[in-house]
Amino acid sequence: MTPDSYGVETLQVKRFKKAESKSVLDHIVQEHPIALVYNGISHAVMMATPTNVDLFAKGFSLSEGILTNLKELYAIEVHQSELGITVEMTISSRAFAALKERRRMLVGRTGCGLCGIESLEQLQLDISKITIEPSKEWLEQIPVAISQLKDQQKITALTGGAHAAAWVVEGKIMALFEDVGRHNALDKLLGYLAQENYDTSLGFVVMTSRASYELIRKCAQLNISLLASISAPTSMAIQLAKQSGLTLASFCREDRFVLYTEI
């Protein structure tokens, strides 16, 4: 990986240590606006690291329930301008009609919050029910997977500023994606899993972030039955994990973790 590519920029900075300073080149994680457009209508603008943009758009579309599967995505084009990145997607008439109805009802949930709703009455924390059973052997594989993360986090190694989402099968990381936003990293991973037709009953997701409610919802939407996070869970994440049947393990560090829902 070279600087000024793969989501990383270089910047001249002054580094201080005690009373001394020196000018050095620093590596900075990129954060750009990405507009997601469906059948000519802009639905959301997300701040994300501009890598694997097509996978991000696919994962977002699936995890937010805009598409039920990638067969409903007929075409996708990524365009870059001085303002940012635009992803133009052509989707099925069914998916587009459902999206327009969602916009009409002002239930505009995004990957990082509940933007677009006007009152608490509109807040509906419905969540998909998971239909597959996690393997108890996966709990033994969590520390093994955690030990592999550092070597595969290329953007984080340079910048210290990215989250990672990884897919684990039999204790081995099969795919890993990074982004400045934890939900974006997960969407990139989910887009990849869907594109490559991975069987989500065979593995689980590991995240380098805290476990917040939107990560639970996105995993449940794709029928992923176990999420392991390095940092703490939120109360809403635990509530939704129990509601959906997702197994949630957090504070996954070295050979230790805390299980918040029973397997």
Side-chain angles (χ1 to χ4, degrees):
M1 176 182 294
T2 58
D4 299 313
S5 66
Y6 300 103
V8 177
E9 297 177 3
T10 55
L11 180 68
Q12 191 79 32
V13 299
K14 186 167 288 188
R15 185 166 292 162
F16 285 80
K17 185 176 181 181
K18 296 182 179 180
E20 298 181 356
S21 67
K22 61 179 179 179
S23 294
V24 297
L25 282 177
D26 198 9
H27 300 312
I28 312 297
V29 62
Q30 291 179 329
E31 184 177 30
H32 290 185
I34 299 178
L36 302 176
V37 180
Y38 298 90
N39 291 7
I41 295 181
S42 182
H43 175 66
V45 177
M46 308 294 292
M47 297 303 297
T49 302
T51 58
N52 305 112
V53 174
D54 58 333
L55 295 180
F56 166 61
K58 291 174 182 177
F60 178 92
S61 301
L62 291 167
S63 71
E64 291 296 312
I66 297 169
L67 304 178
T68 57
N69 56 66
L70 289 184
K71 291 180 180 179
E72 293 190 305
L73 177 62
Y74 297 154
I76 181 169
E77 295 182 0
V78 179
H79 304 283
Q80 178 122 27
S81 70
E82 293 182 358
L83 296 177
I85 297 172
T86 300
V87 185
E88 299 271 2
M89 287 172 278
T90 303
I91 62 177
S92 71
S93 57
R94 185 219 64 82
F96 189 51
L99 179 60
K100 288 193 293 184
E101 178 65 15
R102 174 185 298 193
R103 291 170 61 84
R104 188 184 70 81
M105 297 298 292
L106 295 177
V107 183
R109 292 184 303 196
T110 70
C112 59
L114 291 161
C115 308
I117 68 172
E118 294 181 330
S119 66
L120 289 176
E121 285 72 19
Q122 290 180 314
L123 173 58
Q124 295 180 347
L125 291 174
D126 56 329
I127 188 167
S128 301
K129 295 289 186 180
I130 293 168
T131 61
I132 58 178
E133 290 290 333
S135 169
K136 291 185 179 180
E137 295 178 354
W138 292 354
L139 298 182
E140 300 174 3
Q141 297 169 9
I142 290 174
V144 180
I146 295 296
S147 70
Q148 299 169 40
L149 282 173
K150 187 176 181 180
D151 290 340
Q152 299 197 38
Q153 292 176 252
K154 305 304 182 183
I155 295 178
T156 298
L158 286 173
T159 69
H163 288 297
W167 179 246
V168 179
V169 177
E170 295 183 354
K172 181 179 179 180
I173 291 180
M174 308 300 294
L176 182 145
F177 292 89
E178 293 180 276
D179 196 280
V180 70
R182 60 187 182 275
H183 44 87
N184 299 335
L186 180 57
D187 276 334
K188 291 176 180 180
L189 176 65
L190 298 181
Y192 175 77
L193 296 179
Q195 176 180 280
E196 301 302 316
N197 293 312
Y198 271 73
D199 185 347
T200 58
S201 70
L202 299 179
F204 59 95
V205 169
V206 171
M207 298 285 303
T208 59
S209 65
R210 72 177 183 273
S212 50
Y213 92 92
E214 75 271 19
L215 302 185
I216 304 297
R217 187 168 54 78
K218 287 176 180 291
C219 284
Q221 188 72 26
L222 272 76
N223 209 24
I224 291 169
S225 59
L226 189 151
L227 172 64
S229 70
I230 283 182
S231 296
T234 66
S235 61
M236 185 64 71
I238 297 171
Q239 177 183 327
L240 290 186
K242 291 180 178 179
Q243 186 176 329
S244 67
L246 181 142
T247 298
L248 176 61
S250 293
F251 291 113
C252 301
R253 299 168 186 176
E254 298 178 345
D255 59 351
R256 305 183 304 275
F257 61 87
V258 179
L259 195 62
Y260 286 89
T261 57
E262 291 298 325
I263 197 166

